[in-house]
Amino acid sequence: MNVASNESDFHALLAFKSNIFPEYQQSLSSWNESLHFCHWEGVKCGRRHERVTVIDLRSRGLVGSLSPYIGSLSFLRELKIVNNTFTGAIPTELGHLFRLQILNLGNNSFEGEIPTSLSRCSNLRFLLLQKNKLVGEFPKEFAYSMPRLEELYIVANNLTGGIPPSIGNLTSLVILNVGYNPFGGSIPNALGQLRNLKILSLSFNQISGTIPHSLYNLSLLVELSLVGNRLRGSLPPTFGFMFPHLQSLHLYTNQFNGPVPLSISNCSQLENLDLSYNNFTGKVRNDFRKFQNLYWISLGHNNFETNGSDGLAFLSSLTNCSNLGVVIFENGQFGGVLPDSVGNLSKSVSYLALGRNQLYGSIPSTIGNLVNLEVLGLNDNLFTGPIPGSIGYLRNLQWLYALNNNMSGQIPDSIGNLSLLNKLYLGNNRLEGAIPSNLSNCRKLLVLTLFDNTLNGSIPRQLLMVSSLSIGLDLSRNRLSGSLPLEVGNLKHLAYFDISGNGLSGEIPSTLGSCSSLENLYMHQNFFQGSIPSSLESLRGIQFLYLSDNNLSGQIPRFLGTFDLKYLNLSFNNFEGELLMNGVFANASAISVTGNYRLCGGISELRLPRCITKKSRNRKFLSRTLGITVASILVGVIVVSSFIICLFFKKKRKTKPTVSILLKDQFLRVSYGELLKATEGFSSTNLLGFGSFGRVYKGVIEQNGELVVAVKVLDLQARGATKSFMAECEALRNIRHRNLVSIITSCSSTDFQGNEFKALVYEFMQNGSLDNWLHSISGSNSHGGREFVGLNLLQRIDIAIDVACALDYLHHQCERPIIHCDLKPSNILLDGDMVAHVGDFGLARFRAEFTTPSTSSSTAIRGTVGYAAPEYGLGSEMSTSGDVYSYGILLLEMITRKRPTDIMFEGDLNLHNFTRITLPQRVMEIVDPMLLTEERNGSKMMEYLISVIEIGLACSTESPKDRMSIDIVLRELHLVKNNILKADMEI
């Protein structure tokens, strides 16, 4: 090979290859001396000098760094290595490539700052650096040295320092996309100088203020995206006249207010219009008839006028939009009736979301005209009347959400025509009659919910033969009767099955044991009889089993003790015999057997009578004789003692309960001096953290060996500290659960100067708080000086499940239900096995202390800003749904690693809304980047993340009644976890 004139290019290419890891060089196999480098894969040369002019290695799976020798390819015009895994800094030597016209380094992992040396590439027309890990400010030098630059993509990096006004000097720009960078600041006025601009995207840049008037000079704009910022103000009435060529307008997730300008109707070329998640008001009066190309329209999550019956009157003007595909008006505060004209929308509409509004009246039968609908959302409205039979014409329908309305009448048989249906939600209505047997025609059904209706008759055998049912089947709280058909065994993939609160009878069919994927089985509050069939031993994955309030009898099967159950409820039946003591039966907080009066034995916490054995019966006779003698002596003692005790309690009956009474004598006794010694004088080196009412120290108590503990010392000068101390004692004295922090003892005394001293002593959690694991990654903190590495997805889901189990116990299984009131990452501690424990009950309240959750209260808001439920700010009392809200925010924080108090959240933008708007397409852009490093199938990973985020969103809705119940949370999280484990096993 003759390399006399271009030897430098040859060696530069070899240097490029040498910086790629050998195992990722497959696409560079032709890069060797047997072939002239001008013929190497991805390389092009000029004909005259045989010098390299193009390197095009897009999407070749290359992993490594970019060699600085690339800067010696002095004839290079195009460098395109987008969509690989290049790491390290962008070489400053690229600034030597003065002939360079296209530089595309997008979708890699380049780090560091954008080199200012690139400003010497004065012939650049396309600069694409999107989706890397670049930091620092955008170089101002570019604005004065790149007069030919037409496209600038720096989207999805970590650039700061504001959008530089100098960009306004790049007057040849046609496309400017700087989105998904934490720039901050405001929109520079100078951007109005870019008169050739056709695409402007400033999305998710943490910018605030208003749209500068100069921006309305960009009359050639085809796409304007200002999504996910803190922009405010109203749009000018002439908005639509300023952008006559506009095809895409994305303003969602900001703080815009006022009416939607009528002039938008002048943007006749619009294809995508999204104004959701703002504060737009008034009545939508726009005429959309000119929008022949409109495909996507979203006006939901605003504050439009609800008065009158014509809130959706403008819908009629959309019937002229022949390309319409997606219509999203959910949670827009739209009131009135759904007009018949909905059926005149384009046949191409595939997604129609009208949920969470105030629509009333009947669902028009014309809905059946939308034959290409795939998703129909009518949930959470005030619809009455029957479900129209015309629904059966929607042969392409996959999701139907109509729960939480007031619809009545029978479920139409025509629903059986929807053979592609995946999800059918009709719960919480007033539907009556029998469940249609032809629902069995929906052979792709994954979930069916009919809970909280007045359905009667038996469960159709045909329905239980829909083997695709896997997510859930919920028929609870109806008036169903008869037996559970044997065909239930066909539901081999079903994870959630709820038939509670009906009038079902007969024996539990043995075929239920074939439902081997069951994780949640709820059969309580029925009339089932007989014994628990031995075939249920096959349900090895069961997590929650509720068989309470039936007429079941016989002995409790031993195999239940081998299951990894989270909760087992067998209460109020007729079980008999000795209770097991292994597995779930060893955890009093995870089992209920109340109301089975023929049970005996078990662990002491269950307080069942001892089982009578043959040996104990022989002893009984002897004890009677001895008992008579002893009894006569005791009678005298009791008479005297009773008189003394009565006198004592007469004096004490009006005193308040003390800490020693609250925590009883079973707890370890410690003094102030012992705690002082245990914590090395409350040394700062032992400080684990601090909160509103005190500080927490690591300590070692030397009683019967060395006991490592966490000591919470109350700051009694802080307002409410003493009340917090007593509340925590009261809350913790009788509760025991594997996911709650165990209290060891308390100390209420005085220090050596005679000052009042109060402290609580807990079990030490060696892995610190969840807050540390989420927000102290790659750094160390005071918790044992340990370094926190990241949590993977399975670990986060396990922690979320642990916390949900704790809440379920506090809310539903305690003798006196407890509301935590301050759930947040710093109050969730992790033991040596990374099992989560909920702690800090200083704000906890017993549910019995309240009247109704909605009652107004003058007491101060409980909880922490960002985690406290919004209704608390309006004076509502604490409630279990408030804890669920905090849990939802916690779950979103675990996935995004963004605190709800992050500086980016102002006005109406909060963690809930920020996460919600990314679903489903852009979810990977907001999740914790550490999760994206996991070696999982990309589409599967997105599916898992979306599932968890949807749970978090369902828990953190603004309205308490719309929040997901904690038992459903547990079901859904276990389902996600199982899907991950199954996928990992397949790999």
PDB file of all heavy atoms in Angstrom, residues 2 7 14 19 150 196 244 398 430 445 457 496 547 603 662 674 684 692 712 730 782 798 808 814 857 861 919 948 971:
ATOM      1  N   ASN A   2       0.575   2.180  -0.894  1.00  0.00           N
ATOM      2  CA  ASN A   2       1.348   3.405  -0.993  1.00  0.00           C
ATOM      3  C   ASN A   2       0.766   4.438  -0.041  1.00  0.00           C
ATOM      4  O   ASN A   2      -0.330   4.946  -0.232  1.00  0.00           O
ATOM      5  CB  ASN A   2       1.302   3.916  -2.431  1.00  0.00           C
ATOM      6  CG  ASN A   2       2.113   5.178  -2.615  1.00  0.00           C
ATOM      7  OD1 ASN A   2       2.924   5.530  -1.764  1.00  0.00           O
ATOM      8  ND2 ASN A   2       1.898   5.850  -3.731  1.00  0.00           N
ATOM      9  N   GLU A   7       0.379   9.180   4.896  1.00  0.00           N
ATOM     10  CA  GLU A   7       0.745   8.304   6.006  1.00  0.00           C
ATOM     11  C   GLU A   7       0.129   8.778   7.318  1.00  0.00           C
ATOM     12  O   GLU A   7      -0.260   7.967   8.162  1.00  0.00           O
ATOM     13  CB  GLU A   7       2.270   8.242   6.125  1.00  0.00           C
ATOM     14  CG  GLU A   7       2.744   7.250   7.177  1.00  0.00           C
ATOM     15  CD  GLU A   7       4.261   7.132   7.191  1.00  0.00           C
ATOM     16  OE1 GLU A   7       4.910   7.754   6.340  1.00  0.00           O
ATOM     17  OE2 GLU A   7       4.765   6.414   8.065  1.00  0.00           O
ATOM     18  N   LEU A  14      -5.479   4.220  12.638  1.00  0.00           N
ATOM     19  CA  LEU A  14      -5.056   3.113  13.502  1.00  0.00           C
ATOM     20  C   LEU A  14      -5.117   3.523  14.974  1.00  0.00           C
ATOM     21  O   LEU A  14      -5.485   2.728  15.839  1.00  0.00           O
ATOM     22  CB  LEU A  14      -3.630   2.669  13.142  1.00  0.00           C
ATOM     23  CG  LEU A  14      -3.469   1.928  11.812  1.00  0.00           C
ATOM     24  CD1 LEU A  14      -2.014   1.515  11.620  1.00  0.00           C
ATOM     25  CD2 LEU A  14      -4.375   0.700  11.755  1.00  0.00           C
ATOM     26  N   ASN A  19      -8.018   2.900  20.363  1.00  0.00           N
ATOM     27  CA  ASN A  19      -8.740   3.416  21.528  1.00  0.00           C
ATOM     28  C   ASN A  19     -10.094   2.750  21.734  1.00  0.00           C
ATOM     29  O   ASN A  19     -10.811   3.072  22.676  1.00  0.00           O
ATOM     30  CB  ASN A  19      -8.936   4.924  21.402  1.00  0.00           C
ATOM     31  CG  ASN A  19      -7.717   5.691  21.877  1.00  0.00           C
ATOM     32  OD1 ASN A  19      -6.600   5.227  21.744  1.00  0.00           O
ATOM     33  ND2 ASN A  19      -7.929   6.874  22.430  1.00  0.00           N
ATOM     34  N   GLU A 150     -25.925  25.690  10.965  1.00  0.00           N
ATOM     35  CA  GLU A 150     -27.361  25.588  10.685  1.00  0.00           C
ATOM     36  C   GLU A 150     -28.110  24.782  11.747  1.00  0.00           C
ATOM     37  O   GLU A 150     -29.273  25.055  12.023  1.00  0.00           O
ATOM     38  CB  GLU A 150     -27.578  24.932   9.309  1.00  0.00           C
ATOM     39  CG  GLU A 150     -27.009  25.726   8.153  1.00  0.00           C
ATOM     40  CD  GLU A 150     -27.178  24.990   6.836  1.00  0.00           C
ATOM     41  OE1 GLU A 150     -27.994  24.046   6.790  1.00  0.00           O
ATOM     42  OE2 GLU A 150     -26.478  25.334   5.875  1.00  0.00           O
ATOM     43  N   ASN A 196     -34.006  32.821  10.760  1.00  0.00           N
ATOM     44  CA  ASN A 196     -34.095  31.643   9.898  1.00  0.00           C
ATOM     45  C   ASN A 196     -34.529  30.396  10.665  1.00  0.00           C
ATOM     46  O   ASN A 196     -34.643  29.310  10.076  1.00  0.00           O
ATOM     47  CB  ASN A 196     -32.746  31.368   9.224  1.00  0.00           C
ATOM     48  CG  ASN A 196     -32.361  32.462   8.248  1.00  0.00           C
ATOM     49  OD1 ASN A 196     -33.145  32.818   7.371  1.00  0.00           O
ATOM     50  ND2 ASN A 196     -31.157  33.004   8.408  1.00  0.00           N
ATOM     51  N   PRO A 244     -47.486  31.515  11.515  1.00  0.00           N
ATOM     52  CA  PRO A 244     -48.402  30.920  10.521  1.00  0.00           C
ATOM     53  C   PRO A 244     -47.955  29.562   9.992  1.00  0.00           C
ATOM     54  O   PRO A 244     -48.762  28.836   9.424  1.00  0.00           O
ATOM     55  CB  PRO A 244     -48.413  31.969   9.399  1.00  0.00           C
ATOM     56  CG  PRO A 244     -47.108  32.681   9.535  1.00  0.00           C
ATOM     57  CD  PRO A 244     -46.824  32.726  10.996  1.00  0.00           C
ATOM     58  N   GLN A 398     -58.279  -1.780  23.053  1.00  0.00           N
ATOM     59  CA  GLN A 398     -57.394  -2.582  23.895  1.00  0.00           C
ATOM     60  C   GLN A 398     -57.535  -2.210  25.371  1.00  0.00           C
ATOM     61  O   GLN A 398     -57.443  -3.084  26.227  1.00  0.00           O
ATOM     62  CB  GLN A 398     -55.938  -2.392  23.454  1.00  0.00           C
ATOM     63  CG  GLN A 398     -55.664  -2.870  22.035  1.00  0.00           C
ATOM     64  CD  GLN A 398     -54.244  -2.607  21.597  1.00  0.00           C
ATOM     65  OE1 GLN A 398     -53.321  -2.579  22.400  1.00  0.00           O
ATOM     66  NE2 GLN A 398     -54.055  -2.393  20.303  1.00  0.00           N
ATOM     67  N   ARG A 430     -72.469   1.430  39.468  1.00  0.00           N
ATOM     68  CA  ARG A 430     -73.697   0.852  40.007  1.00  0.00           C
ATOM     69  C   ARG A 430     -74.237  -0.204  39.054  1.00  0.00           C
ATOM     70  O   ARG A 430     -75.451  -0.363  38.888  1.00  0.00           O
ATOM     71  CB  ARG A 430     -74.743   1.945  40.235  1.00  0.00           C
ATOM     72  CG  ARG A 430     -74.302   3.000  41.244  1.00  0.00           C
ATOM     73  CD  ARG A 430     -75.337   4.096  41.414  1.00  0.00           C
ATOM     74  NE  ARG A 430     -74.905   5.106  42.379  1.00  0.00           N
ATOM     75  CZ  ARG A 430     -75.597   6.197  42.679  1.00  0.00           C
ATOM     76  NH1 ARG A 430     -76.763   6.423  42.088  1.00  0.00           N
ATOM     77  NH2 ARG A 430     -75.126   7.073  43.560  1.00  0.00           N
ATOM     78  N   LEU A 445     -57.448 -10.702  27.277  1.00  0.00           N
ATOM     79  CA  LEU A 445     -57.668  -9.912  28.487  1.00  0.00           C
ATOM     80  C   LEU A 445     -56.584 -10.189  29.523  1.00  0.00           C
ATOM     81  O   LEU A 445     -56.319 -11.349  29.861  1.00  0.00           O
ATOM     82  CB  LEU A 445     -59.045 -10.247  29.066  1.00  0.00           C
ATOM     83  CG  LEU A 445     -59.727  -9.199  29.944  1.00  0.00           C
ATOM     84  CD1 LEU A 445     -59.913  -7.896  29.190  1.00  0.00           C
ATOM     85  CD2 LEU A 445     -61.071  -9.732  30.432  1.00  0.00           C
ATOM     86  N   GLY A 457     -75.728 -13.127  40.679  1.00  0.00           N
ATOM     87  CA  GLY A 457     -75.589 -14.382  39.954  1.00  0.00           C
ATOM     88  C   GLY A 457     -74.248 -15.042  40.254  1.00  0.00           C
ATOM     89  O   GLY A 457     -73.519 -14.638  41.164  1.00  0.00           O
ATOM     90  N   TYR A 496     -53.203 -11.739  40.666  1.00  0.00           N
ATOM     91  CA  TYR A 496     -54.074 -11.103  41.657  1.00  0.00           C
ATOM     92  C   TYR A 496     -55.504 -11.583  41.439  1.00  0.00           C
ATOM     93  O   TYR A 496     -56.049 -11.456  40.347  1.00  0.00           O
ATOM     94  CB  TYR A 496     -53.995  -9.581  41.493  1.00  0.00           C
ATOM     95  CG  TYR A 496     -54.808  -8.793  42.489  1.00  0.00           C
ATOM     96  CD1 TYR A 496     -54.227  -8.305  43.643  1.00  0.00           C
ATOM     97  CD2 TYR A 496     -56.154  -8.525  42.275  1.00  0.00           C
ATOM     98  CE1 TYR A 496     -54.971  -7.558  44.555  1.00  0.00           C
ATOM     99  CE2 TYR A 496     -56.904  -7.792  43.177  1.00  0.00           C
ATOM    100  CZ  TYR A 496     -56.303  -7.308  44.319  1.00  0.00           C
ATOM    101  OH  TYR A 496     -57.040  -6.580  45.220  1.00  0.00           O
ATOM    102  N   LEU A 547     -58.410 -15.415  53.912  1.00  0.00           N
ATOM    103  CA  LEU A 547     -59.522 -16.365  53.926  1.00  0.00           C
ATOM    104  C   LEU A 547     -60.455 -16.078  55.095  1.00  0.00           C
ATOM    105  O   LEU A 547     -61.294 -16.910  55.439  1.00  0.00           O
ATOM    106  CB  LEU A 547     -58.974 -17.797  54.039  1.00  0.00           C
ATOM    107  CG  LEU A 547     -58.062 -18.265  52.893  1.00  0.00           C
ATOM    108  CD1 LEU A 547     -57.510 -19.644  53.193  1.00  0.00           C
ATOM    109  CD2 LEU A 547     -58.822 -18.281  51.577  1.00  0.00           C
ATOM    110  N   ILE A 603     -47.333 -18.947  68.806  1.00  0.00           N
ATOM    111  CA  ILE A 603     -46.420 -18.078  69.543  1.00  0.00           C
ATOM    112  C   ILE A 603     -47.190 -17.290  70.595  1.00  0.00           C
ATOM    113  O   ILE A 603     -48.394 -17.051  70.459  1.00  0.00           O
ATOM    114  CB  ILE A 603     -45.667 -17.131  68.583  1.00  0.00           C
ATOM    115  CG1 ILE A 603     -46.644 -16.247  67.800  1.00  0.00           C
ATOM    116  CG2 ILE A 603     -44.790 -17.917  67.621  1.00  0.00           C
ATOM    117  CD1 ILE A 603     -45.964 -15.215  66.916  1.00  0.00           C
ATOM    118  N   LEU A 662     -45.969   3.443  79.447  1.00  0.00           N
ATOM    119  CA  LEU A 662     -46.138   3.275  78.002  1.00  0.00           C
ATOM    120  C   LEU A 662     -45.277   2.150  77.465  1.00  0.00           C
ATOM    121  O   LEU A 662     -45.690   1.371  76.615  1.00  0.00           O
ATOM    122  CB  LEU A 662     -45.795   4.579  77.277  1.00  0.00           C
ATOM    123  CG  LEU A 662     -46.787   5.721  77.443  1.00  0.00           C
ATOM    124  CD1 LEU A 662     -46.236   6.977  76.789  1.00  0.00           C
ATOM    125  CD2 LEU A 662     -48.138   5.360  76.840  1.00  0.00           C
ATOM    126  N   GLU A 674     -25.315   5.912  81.379  1.00  0.00           N
ATOM    127  CA  GLU A 674     -25.003   4.807  80.469  1.00  0.00           C
ATOM    128  C   GLU A 674     -25.074   5.257  79.009  1.00  0.00           C
ATOM    129  O   GLU A 674     -24.261   4.844  78.177  1.00  0.00           O
ATOM    130  CB  GLU A 674     -25.973   3.646  80.717  1.00  0.00           C
ATOM    131  CG  GLU A 674     -25.709   2.896  82.010  1.00  0.00           C
ATOM    132  CD  GLU A 674     -26.764   1.837  82.288  1.00  0.00           C
ATOM    133  OE1 GLU A 674     -27.938   2.217  82.456  1.00  0.00           O
ATOM    134  OE2 GLU A 674     -26.422   0.647  82.318  1.00  0.00           O
ATOM    135  N   SER A 684     -19.646  14.103  68.319  1.00  0.00           N
ATOM    136  CA  SER A 684     -20.037  14.390  66.929  1.00  0.00           C
ATOM    137  C   SER A 684     -19.578  13.295  65.984  1.00  0.00           C
ATOM    138  O   SER A 684     -20.155  13.109  64.910  1.00  0.00           O
ATOM    139  CB  SER A 684     -19.456  15.737  66.499  1.00  0.00           C
ATOM    140  OG  SER A 684     -18.046  15.721  66.578  1.00  0.00           O
ATOM    141  N   SER A 692     -36.176  17.449  63.445  1.00  0.00           N
ATOM    142  CA  SER A 692     -36.855  18.585  64.058  1.00  0.00           C
ATOM    143  C   SER A 692     -36.771  18.558  65.574  1.00  0.00           C
ATOM    144  O   SER A 692     -36.758  19.603  66.225  1.00  0.00           O
ATOM    145  CB  SER A 692     -38.330  18.596  63.638  1.00  0.00           C
ATOM    146  OG  SER A 692     -38.429  18.647  62.243  1.00  0.00           O
ATOM    147  N   LYS A 712     -31.706   8.368  70.093  1.00  0.00           N
ATOM    148  CA  LYS A 712     -32.326   9.623  69.677  1.00  0.00           C
ATOM    149  C   LYS A 712     -32.496  10.500  70.918  1.00  0.00           C
ATOM    150  O   LYS A 712     -33.309  10.206  71.793  1.00  0.00           O
ATOM    151  CB  LYS A 712     -33.673   9.355  69.021  1.00  0.00           C
ATOM    152  CG  LYS A 712     -34.406  10.611  68.569  1.00  0.00           C
ATOM    153  CD  LYS A 712     -35.729  10.242  67.904  1.00  0.00           C
ATOM    154  CE  LYS A 712     -36.494  11.469  67.454  1.00  0.00           C
ATOM    155  NZ  LYS A 712     -37.781  11.097  66.795  1.00  0.00           N
ATOM    156  N   GLU A 730     -45.939   5.927  72.684  1.00  0.00           N
ATOM    157  CA  GLU A 730     -47.288   5.360  72.576  1.00  0.00           C
ATOM    158  C   GLU A 730     -47.430   4.536  71.304  1.00  0.00           C
ATOM    159  O   GLU A 730     -48.010   3.452  71.295  1.00  0.00           O
ATOM    160  CB  GLU A 730     -48.312   6.489  72.604  1.00  0.00           C
ATOM    161  CG  GLU A 730     -49.763   6.052  72.392  1.00  0.00           C
ATOM    162  CD  GLU A 730     -50.321   5.235  73.534  1.00  0.00           C
ATOM    163  OE1 GLU A 730     -49.642   5.121  74.583  1.00  0.00           O
ATOM    164  OE2 GLU A 730     -51.414   4.683  73.383  1.00  0.00           O
ATOM    165  N   SER A 782     -21.682  10.464  57.683  1.00  0.00           N
ATOM    166  CA  SER A 782     -21.334  10.160  59.060  1.00  0.00           C
ATOM    167  C   SER A 782     -21.817   8.801  59.513  1.00  0.00           C
ATOM    168  O   SER A 782     -21.525   8.394  60.606  1.00  0.00           O
ATOM    169  CB  SER A 782     -21.914  11.245  59.971  1.00  0.00           C
ATOM    170  OG  SER A 782     -23.310  11.319  59.835  1.00  0.00           O
ATOM    171  N   ASP A 798     -37.520  -3.889  46.256  1.00  0.00           N
ATOM    172  CA  ASP A 798     -37.604  -4.598  47.535  1.00  0.00           C
ATOM    173  C   ASP A 798     -37.821  -3.616  48.687  1.00  0.00           C
ATOM    174  O   ASP A 798     -38.626  -3.862  49.591  1.00  0.00           O
ATOM    175  CB  ASP A 798     -36.327  -5.407  47.774  1.00  0.00           C
ATOM    176  CG  ASP A 798     -36.328  -6.729  47.025  1.00  0.00           C
ATOM    177  OD1 ASP A 798     -37.432  -7.226  46.719  1.00  0.00           O
ATOM    178  OD2 ASP A 798     -35.238  -7.258  46.744  1.00  0.00           O
ATOM    179  N   ASP A 808     -49.079  -0.999  55.421  1.00  0.00           N
ATOM    180  CA  ASP A 808     -50.260  -1.867  55.469  1.00  0.00           C
ATOM    181  C   ASP A 808     -50.492  -2.366  56.892  1.00  0.00           C
ATOM    182  O   ASP A 808     -51.621  -2.430  57.368  1.00  0.00           O
ATOM    183  CB  ASP A 808     -50.061  -3.031  54.495  1.00  0.00           C
ATOM    184  CG  ASP A 808     -51.318  -3.877  54.347  1.00  0.00           C
ATOM    185  OD1 ASP A 808     -52.404  -3.294  54.120  1.00  0.00           O
ATOM    186  OD2 ASP A 808     -51.241  -5.111  54.482  1.00  0.00           O
ATOM    187  N   CYS A 814     -52.902  -3.167  62.965  1.00  0.00           N
ATOM    188  CA  CYS A 814     -52.686  -2.842  64.378  1.00  0.00           C
ATOM    189  C   CYS A 814     -54.020  -2.863  65.121  1.00  0.00           C
ATOM    190  O   CYS A 814     -55.073  -2.627  64.532  1.00  0.00           O
ATOM    191  CB  CYS A 814     -52.054  -1.462  64.522  1.00  0.00           C
ATOM    192  SG  CYS A 814     -50.366  -1.386  63.930  1.00  0.00           S
ATOM    193  N   SER A 857     -59.280  21.268  60.434  1.00  0.00           N
ATOM    194  CA  SER A 857     -58.500  21.316  61.666  1.00  0.00           C
ATOM    195  C   SER A 857     -57.693  22.579  61.706  1.00  0.00           C
ATOM    196  O   SER A 857     -57.205  23.082  60.750  1.00  0.00           O
ATOM    197  CB  SER A 857     -57.574  20.099  61.767  1.00  0.00           C
ATOM    198  OG  SER A 857     -56.727  20.235  62.848  1.00  0.00           O
ATOM    199  N   ILE A 861     -49.743  21.902  60.188  1.00  0.00           N
ATOM    200  CA  ILE A 861     -49.567  20.826  59.212  1.00  0.00           C
ATOM    201  C   ILE A 861     -48.521  19.851  59.714  1.00  0.00           C
ATOM    202  O   ILE A 861     -47.444  20.245  60.134  1.00  0.00           O
ATOM    203  CB  ILE A 861     -49.144  21.401  57.854  1.00  0.00           C
ATOM    204  CG1 ILE A 861     -50.235  22.319  57.330  1.00  0.00           C
ATOM    205  CG2 ILE A 861     -48.852  20.294  56.855  1.00  0.00           C
ATOM    206  CD1 ILE A 861     -49.855  23.049  56.059  1.00  0.00           C
ATOM    207  N   LEU A 919     -44.349   9.970  30.626  1.00  0.00           N
ATOM    208  CA  LEU A 919     -44.867   8.640  30.282  1.00  0.00           C
ATOM    209  C   LEU A 919     -45.581   8.675  28.942  1.00  0.00           C
ATOM    210  O   LEU A 919     -46.349   9.603  28.661  1.00  0.00           O
ATOM    211  CB  LEU A 919     -45.839   8.151  31.361  1.00  0.00           C
ATOM    212  CG  LEU A 919     -45.242   7.893  32.745  1.00  0.00           C
ATOM    213  CD1 LEU A 919     -46.333   7.369  33.674  1.00  0.00           C
ATOM    214  CD2 LEU A 919     -44.109   6.905  32.702  1.00  0.00           C
ATOM    215  N   VAL A 948     -43.427   0.956  37.810  1.00  0.00           N
ATOM    216  CA  VAL A 948     -43.184   1.491  39.156  1.00  0.00           C
ATOM    217  C   VAL A 948     -43.614   2.958  39.227  1.00  0.00           C
ATOM    218  O   VAL A 948     -44.230   3.396  40.201  1.00  0.00           O
ATOM    219  CB  VAL A 948     -41.699   1.332  39.527  1.00  0.00           C
ATOM    220  CG1 VAL A 948     -41.435   1.957  40.904  1.00  0.00           C
ATOM    221  CG2 VAL A 948     -41.301  -0.135  39.543  1.00  0.00           C
ATOM    222  N   ARG A 971     -49.487  -5.552  45.634  1.00  0.00           N
ATOM    223  CA  ARG A 971     -49.742  -6.487  44.534  1.00  0.00           C
ATOM    224  C   ARG A 971     -48.975  -6.080  43.287  1.00  0.00           C
ATOM    225  O   ARG A 971     -48.285  -6.894  42.672  1.00  0.00           O
ATOM    226  CB  ARG A 971     -51.235  -6.528  44.233  1.00  0.00           C
ATOM    227  CG  ARG A 971     -51.599  -7.417  43.037  1.00  0.00           C
ATOM    228  CD  ARG A 971     -53.014  -7.129  42.564  1.00  0.00           C
ATOM    229  NE  ARG A 971     -53.065  -5.864  41.856  1.00  0.00           N
ATOM    230  CZ  ARG A 971     -54.180  -5.272  41.434  1.00  0.00           C
ATOM    231  NH1 ARG A 971     -55.344  -5.815  41.687  1.00  0.00           N
ATOM    232  NH2 ARG A 971     -54.137  -4.140  40.783  1.00  0.00           N
TER     233      ARG A 971
END
